[in-house]
Amino acid sequence: MSEPLVLGIETSCDETAVGIVRGRKLLANVISSSVEQHARFGGVVPEIASRAHLEAMQHVISAALHEAKVSLQDIDALGVTAGPGLIGALLVGTSSASGLALALNKPLFGVNHLSSHLAVDALNETQALEPAIGLLVSGGHSSILKVTDLASDVEVLGATIDDAAGEAFDKIARLLELDFPGGPAIDLLAQSGDSSAIEFPRGLTHVNDREEHLYDFSFSGLKTAVSRYLKSTPSAVRADVAASFQEAVVDVLLTKALSAAKSAGIESLIIAGGVAANSRLRAEATRRCALAGVRLRTPPMGLCTDNGAMVAALTSLMVTAGSTPTSVGFAADSSSGLERLLWR
Ligand code: KG4
Ligand code: ZN
């Protein structure tokens, strides 16, 4: 099948999202988010998310088909996020996709949420970047990956040992009394702050950490440092705190990712996941990659946070590569890592 028409469903967290692609071309990307229902709790409430997925699913699928100007019968294959994520939320997606696959008699691919964040890079790009270093920075994960083949070979070089980068943004935002999710709010506030005002710690960058944690991250010390600073400095300028915190995160993410690229002799970097929407990360990555002679790709802003297009994109790569579809009846896995890119 040369240019498969693929519908991808994503429900791992609080976005009910459906994307449709033909080959590497994006035809539709529809997202219904329950984020406002979680805001007053300061984080995603799993039960609320699952219920919202159930309520939104049918409408989001119809809207995506309408946007792509195709019918369900035209679809060649279905893709769905099978993990990691909130189990109840994942189950709404995998059940919906399984039902559709059975009814339409079409192949179904249960795929990994983390690698689909990276695979969104394949959309509208004719030139594959692999091998590449992947810097995956989301609300649940922060990893440095060696991407040999987006559809079949992604190796974890390092990961966070405590909070994820997006989680750190969300927690610091709460300390600064900003809205959830914290990333966009800090990004905005930091634009009027001085990023060199406060020297916050860069986790796991000490020479003693190199042996065991060369490409790992830790953001809990940074969180404690910001919290202590705010408590001990009544005159703290919030914008300076936001900018200095953001600078510490961006610095450590890029230093480690580019060092991994250099050691592996890899000349491409793909940054993906919700935090890839951060304006300072994008600007600094552009600057540092140019200096290091590394090709950089970041998804368009609208495709950084969770969406269905990324699931459809990864599924399309798998269909094109001739991968074996997932058996209907497969089990979603809330805690899967990157050892499983495609469910059997
Ligand atoms: O990838 P994603 O949508 O969901 C997960 O798979 O986790 O990422 C959500 C995370 C949240 O923690 C959010 O605060 C963060 O991405 N985020 C940002 C920005 N936009 C979203 N972090 C920093 N700057 C941003 N502009
Ligand atoms: Zn995600």
Side-chain angles (χ1 to χ4, degrees):
M1 203 183 292
S2 57
E3 293 277 87
L5 183 67
V6 178
L7 182 144
I9 299 179
E10 151 64 34
T11 62
S12 68
C13 193
D14 56 342
E15 269 90 26
T16 315
V18 174
I20 300 178
V21 305
R22 190 183 296 281
R24 288 170 170 262
K25 191 173 183 325
L26 180 62
L27 302 184
N29 182 38
V30 177
I31 302 173
S32 165
S33 176
S34 60
V35 66
E36 282 173 13
Q37 297 179 51
H38 308 286
R40 71 189 170 100
F41 301 103
V44 175
V45 182
E47 272 308 314
I48 295 179
S50 308
R51 185 181 298 253
H53 288 312
L54 267 179
E55 283 166 3
M57 182 59 73
Q58 251 181 318
H59 167 71
V60 174
I61 292 174
S62 306
L65 291 167
H66 182 77
E67 193 173 303
K69 299 189 178 62
V70 297
S71 77
L72 260 185
Q73 283 66 31
D74 298 329
I75 300 292
D76 297 312
L78 295 139
V80 63
T81 303
L86 303 169
I87 192 64
L90 287 168
L91 285 173
V92 179
T94 54
S95 317
S96 307
S98 301
L100 279 175
L102 279 172
L104 298 168
N105 194 23
K106 295 291 157 123
L108 170 65
F109 293 78
V111 303
N112 189 298
H113 179 77
L114 308 176
S115 50
S116 40
H117 266 300
L118 290 167
V120 84
D121 179 71
L123 292 176
N124 291 325
E125 296 287 353
T126 44
Q127 187 203 357
L129 269 200
E130 301 123 293
I133 291 296
L135 174 62
L136 175 69
V137 274
S138 71
H141 292 82
S142 303
S143 319
I144 294 184
L145 312 164
K146 184 175 170 199
V147 185
T148 306
D149 183 325
L150 277 168
S152 61
D153 190 353
V154 179
E155 182 193 339
V156 180
L157 301 180
T160 181
I161 60 165
D162 40 57
D163 292 348
E167 203 178 349
F169 271 92
D170 295 336
K171 287 180 176 171
I172 298 304
R174 212 177 308 165
L175 293 178
L176 291 170
E177 291 166 11
L178 296 167
D179 288 340
F180 174 83
I186 289 191
D187 196 345
L188 190 66
L189 179 62
Q191 282 166 25
S192 55
D194 174 3
S195 61
S196 59
I198 312 144
E199 183 67 23
F200 285 130
R202 271 70 170 156
L204 299 184
T205 52
H206 194 265
V207 82
N208 295 343
D209 297 318
R210 284 208 192 127
E211 191 133 331
E212 238 187 293
H213 293 296
L214 186 57
Y215 301 130
D216 290 333
F217 300 111
S218 166
F219 296 108
S220 68
L222 173 59
K223 186 186 64 191
T224 309
V226 175
S227 166
R228 281 211 187 113
Y229 179 84
L230 286 171
K231 278 191 191 128
S232 64
T233 321
S235 60
V237 179
R238 288 163 72 251
D240 288 352
V241 176
S244 302
F245 156 77
Q246 180 175 267
E247 199 62 22
V249 176
V250 166
D251 182 24
V252 77
L253 291 177
L254 291 176
T255 301
K256 293 204 175 208
L258 284 171
S259 141
K262 194 170 174 199
S263 308
I266 288 178
E267 291 171 349
S268 306
L269 174 66
I270 302 174
I271 306 184
V275 182
N278 184 266
S279 62
R280 180 67 188 143
L281 177 61
R282 293 169 86 96
E284 188 62 4
T286 305
R287 192 185 70 81
R288 289 201 201 182
C289 284
L291 279 178
V294 166
R295 285 188 300 265
L296 170 69
R297 272 220 302 250
T298 46
M301 290 295 282
L303 296 178
C304 290
T305 46
D306 293 347
N307 62 80
M310 66 193 209
V311 179
L314 179 57
T315 305
S316 175
L317 292 177
M318 289 172 168
V319 173
T320 306
S323 307
T324 307
T326 306
S327 327
V328 173
F330 70 101
D333 180 357
S334 63
S335 59
S336 70
L338 277 156
E339 66 290 343
R340 180 146 69 157
L341 301 180
L342 172 61
W343 269 240
R344 286 276 148 241

